[in-house]
Amino acid sequence: MFKVVNKRYLANNIWLVDVEAPNVAKACLPGQFVIVRLDEKAERVPLTICDYDREKNTITLVYQAVGASTMRMRDADENGYHDVVGPLGQPSELCTMPREELAKEKILFMAGGVGTAPVYPQVKWLKENGYEADVIIGARTKELIILEEEMKQWAANLYIATDDGSYGFKGNVNDCLKDLLANHGKEYTRVVAIGPMIMMKFVCLTTKELGIPTIVSMNPIMVDGTGMCGACRLSVGGKIKFACVDGPEFDGHLINFDEAMNRQRMYKSEEGRKLLKEQEGETHKGPGCATPNPQKVD
């Protein structure tokens, strides 16, 4: 069990917690996630690591209380304890890209809603290693924007987009991207988009037309976090992948988003899960998580 040392309300039932998890804090990289449980009988909740402090031995997690498990987390004592397993998944490819190649990139991050949390550590990592990136944070309205002040510390340029125009650019993140390219002389060689599935789909449709390579995070479809439940099965370039083991980040232009979103809907019901298992046969489940350096649950 690992102690919660800080808990903060952000917006729209979205919470930030800092957890003492020394092994995870020492080993994790941007893009990876952890599995969190309140106790041994609770559901497994996969959460992308929002930040980490190797000196304080803490990791930062952001979650939106929408289901039974996350609502229990919301209602738990500020100085309570969580089970934490990780780091899991593969780090962002930016962390492993040769430095001479990374220096040539003009990167734009596009964050939608809670997707701002997994964008944050990547932007911070780039800045700490001598690189810069632009960021768009989008939400329906001003009150739903999160981590704006934190992001300003690390982004070369931060743009805010709201659907209702109550703050920043009026429109969604995709509209903002088009405006930056058409009216502000911006050029990008790579886009990283993280947010709701429908947002990432339309960003990828736009960037594919523009010829801009685009990475997306498929963490919205993860459930078990080990590849064994079959929830995050998806088609990437015609090949079967599992977001929690092979990702969560993939080439967005190769993902079959329509299939993934339809699968996500079906997986919510017991009947849908049974049908998927029958249709997909041996490919329904992954091989289990083989990510190195997992932290054992106490």
Side-chain angles (χ1 to χ4, degrees):
M1 298 292 285
F2 302 93
K3 185 177 181 180
V4 176
V5 295
N6 176 53
K7 185 175 182 180
R8 177 160 60 98
Y9 179 76
L10 297 180
N12 193 34
N13 224 7
I14 301 171
W15 294 83
L16 177 150
V17 293
D18 295 322
V19 182
E20 284 185 346
N23 293 344
V24 180
K26 287 181 171 61
C28 67
L29 286 171
Q32 293 185 292
F33 67 95
V34 294
I35 295 293
V36 178
R37 296 189 304 172
L38 281 180
D39 54 57
E40 62 182 14
K41 296 182 180 180
E43 290 182 336
R44 300 160 59 88
V45 180
L47 296 174
T48 307
I49 298 169
C50 175
D51 200 2
Y52 50 88
D53 190 317
R54 305 202 198 281
E55 294 183 0
K56 294 182 179 179
N57 292 325
T58 61
I59 59 172
T60 300
L61 307 173
V62 172
Y63 63 90
Q64 187 168 25
V66 293
S69 296
T70 47
M71 286 182 181
R72 284 188 62 201
M73 291 170 61
R74 175 199 63 189
D75 297 335
D77 292 339
E78 182 173 343
N79 297 316
Y81 291 81
H82 294 341
D83 285 345
V84 178
V85 177
L88 303 173
Q90 306 302 319
S92 165
E93 67 174 25
L94 298 176
C95 299
T96 58
M97 185 182 296
R99 297 303 176 93
E100 61 274 12
E101 293 184 18
L102 189 55
K104 299 175 184 177
E105 296 281 355
K106 297 179 180 178
I107 303 172
L108 172 67
F109 287 88
M110 302 174 68
V114 184
T116 307
V119 161
Y120 177 79
Q122 297 193 42
V123 178
K124 180 180 177 180
W125 184 92
L126 285 171
K127 183 69 173 181
E128 289 180 332
N129 285 274
Y131 309 100
E132 292 189 334
D134 287 356
V135 180
I136 302 172
I137 296 177
R140 295 193 306 275
T141 189
K142 179 179 180 179
E143 288 71 26
L144 303 182
I145 297 293
I146 64 170
L147 301 176
E148 178 184 359
E149 293 304 315
E150 292 86 346
M151 196 74 78
K152 284 180 179 178
Q153 299 178 56
W154 309 105
N157 296 285
L158 176 61
Y159 306 96
I160 304 296
T162 53
D163 293 354
D164 63 2
S166 56
Y167 190 39
F169 177 85
K170 183 177 182 179
N172 59 40
V173 294
N174 207 30
D175 297 329
C176 188
L177 166 62
K178 294 175 182 178
D179 181 67
L180 290 174
L181 297 175
N183 301 317
H184 299 275
K186 288 289 185 176
E187 295 181 1
Y188 297 108
T189 61
R190 184 179 299 265
V191 165
V192 179
I194 305 180
M197 293 277 280
I198 192 68
M199 167 217 145
M200 293 190 290
K201 172 187 174 179
F202 281 100
V203 166
C204 288
L205 289 174
T206 296
T207 57
K208 189 172 185 178
E209 290 182 2
L210 296 170
I212 306 174
T214 301
I215 298 298
V216 298
S217 176
M218 299 302 287
N219 55 20
I221 65 173
M222 294 194 301
V223 174
D224 177 78
T226 66
M228 294 304 293
C229 70
C232 65
R233 179 186 185 275
L234 69 158
S235 298
V236 183
K239 298 180 180 180
I240 300 301
K241 299 289 183 180
F242 291 84
C244 62
V245 177
D246 302 307
E249 295 188 355
F250 298 94
D251 182 338
H253 294 166
L254 298 180
I255 290 177
N256 186 330
F257 278 101
D258 291 336
E259 177 188 79
M261 289 188 289
N262 181 60
R263 226 181 154 277
Q264 189 179 34
R265 287 190 293 268
M266 291 181 65
Y267 199 87
K268 292 179 180 179
S269 70
E270 183 177 355
E271 182 179 354
R273 290 192 293 272
K274 288 181 179 179
L275 180 59
L276 289 170
K277 184 177 181 179
E278 181 179 328
Q279 292 175 339
E280 295 165 356
E282 294 182 356
T283 69
H284 178 65
K285 295 183 179 181
C289 187
T291 305
N293 299 321
Q295 180 172 338
K296 294 181 180 180
V297 176
D298 284 357

